[in-house]
Amino acid sequence: MMYFSSQGTLVYDPVAGSIKNKWWLNLECSLDIIEYYSYWLEKEAGIITKIPHFGAHISIIRSEEPPDAYKHLWGKHDGKTFTFEYYPIPRGTNEHWWLDVRCPHMSQLRSELGLSKKPLNGFHLTIGRVIERKKGNKNKKDKIQKLLKEYKTHIDFMDTMQRNNYKFAENYIRFQKRKYPDFWEVDCISFLEDAIVLQKNLRRQQNL
C-alpha cells in the first residue's frame, strides 16, 4: 500500500501545558490527520482515543540528552518544515494508537546530535491514548461471510487463475484478521466488494 505525504514543523524543547520538555524534538503536524483517524477508529472499531498532550506530533528525540560534543547544535533547525510519509493503516495496543512514519531527515537530525538513527519505538505519528473500547460489530463479520459466499458463486473453479484468486481472498481475510484485529472487517469488506465487481466483469467478458 502507498504512503501518504504531509508536512510538519520542528520544535525543540516543546511545551505541553505549562511544562517545557528539555531534550525533546518534535515535528508538529496537522491536527486534521489524527482527528480523522480518531473518528475512524471510533466509528469502525469502537476505539475511543484522547489526543496527545503535544497535539499532532512525531517524536524525533524524546528526553535523550546529546553528548556534550554535540550540544551546541541543539536548536539548529528550530522552525524548519519537513515533509514526511505515513502509512495510512493505524497500528495500536491496548493503550495507544499510531501511524508508522518514514522520513530520512529525522534520522539525519538524530545522527547530527550524536544519537542513534532511530528512537527506541521508531518514528510514528501518535493518534492518541485509548480511553474506551466499545464492543465489536458483529454485523460487519456477518457481511464479510455473506460477501465471501457471493464472491464464490462467481468463481469458475475449473479455471486455475480464478481458483487461485479465491484462495488469495480467503488468505487475505485471515491475514488481515490476524495483523489488524481491531479493524480488519472494514478493509476486508472493501476488498471483497471490489473483488466481486472485478470477477463479475471478468465473467461478463468471457461470455461475450
Side-chain angles (χ1 to χ4, degrees):
M1 182 178 289
M2 66 181 293
Y3 279 70
F4 293 171
S5 294
S6 188
Q7 290 185 323
T9 304
L10 290 173
V11 178
Y12 291 78
D13 302 327
V15 175
S18 59
I19 300 174
K20 185 177 181 179
N21 293 268
K22 185 68 173 174
W23 305 124
W24 282 59
L25 172 57
N26 286 348
L27 189 72
E28 294 189 349
C29 312
S30 170
L31 193 61
D32 290 346
I33 299 175
I34 62 173
E35 285 181 338
Y36 167 77
Y37 281 98
S38 293
Y39 167 80
W40 191 83
L41 282 172
E42 180 177 356
K43 182 176 184 294
E44 303 295 348
I47 298 171
I48 301 174
T49 56
K50 183 178 180 180
I51 293 175
H53 292 302
F54 287 122
H57 73 285
I58 301 166
S59 295
I60 301 172
I61 299 173
R62 189 174 185 222
S63 192
E64 296 175 78
E65 185 174 352
D68 289 341
Y70 299 90
K71 286 183 179 178
H72 68 284
L73 297 172
W74 188 257
K76 176 182 176 181
H77 304 287
D78 192 49
K80 288 186 178 179
T81 299
F82 282 97
T83 297
F84 66 92
E85 295 181 317
Y86 62 93
Y87 193 60
I89 296 181
R91 295 201 299 132
T93 64
N94 289 330
E95 297 180 353
H96 295 89
W97 280 81
W98 65 90
L99 299 170
D100 288 331
V101 165
R102 63 185 186 187
C103 175
H105 293 301
M106 294 181 187
S107 294
Q108 292 170 9
L109 288 168
R110 290 181 58 84
S111 297
E112 183 179 81
L113 288 164
L115 302 172
S116 60
K117 289 187 176 181
K118 288 186 178 182
L120 181 62
N121 295 318
F123 297 122
H124 61 273
L125 173 56
T126 305
I127 297 171
R129 178 173 59 85
V130 177
I131 58 175
E132 184 181 344
R133 284 176 177 267
K134 299 177 181 179
K135 290 185 177 181
N137 192 338
K138 184 178 182 297
N139 291 335
K140 287 188 174 66
K141 294 182 176 66
D142 292 340
K143 185 171 182 179
I144 289 171
Q145 292 304 314
K146 182 179 179 180
L147 287 170
L148 188 60
K149 288 179 180 178
E150 181 183 351
Y151 182 49
K152 188 175 183 178
T153 63
H154 299 292
I155 296 292
D156 178 3
F157 285 93
M158 298 300 292
D159 185 297
T160 301
M161 183 189 73
Q162 293 185 47
R163 186 169 64 248
N164 288 339
N165 285 346
Y166 182 77
K167 288 180 180 178
F168 174 82
E170 288 184 314
N171 290 332
Y172 181 84
I173 292 169
R174 282 194 286 267
F175 173 80
Q176 293 297 95
K177 186 177 182 179
R178 183 174 67 252
K179 189 168 184 180
Y180 306 109
D182 285 301
F183 53 91
W184 64 278
E185 298 101 327
V186 180
D187 180 76
C188 289
I189 288 172
S190 177
F191 170 80
L192 287 171
E193 287 175 340
D194 289 343
I196 289 170
V197 171
L198 290 172
Q199 186 61 29
K200 284 182 177 179
N201 289 338
L202 176 63
R203 295 300 297 271
R204 190 177 297 115
Q205 291 174 5
Q206 290 176 337
N207 293 330
L208 290 178

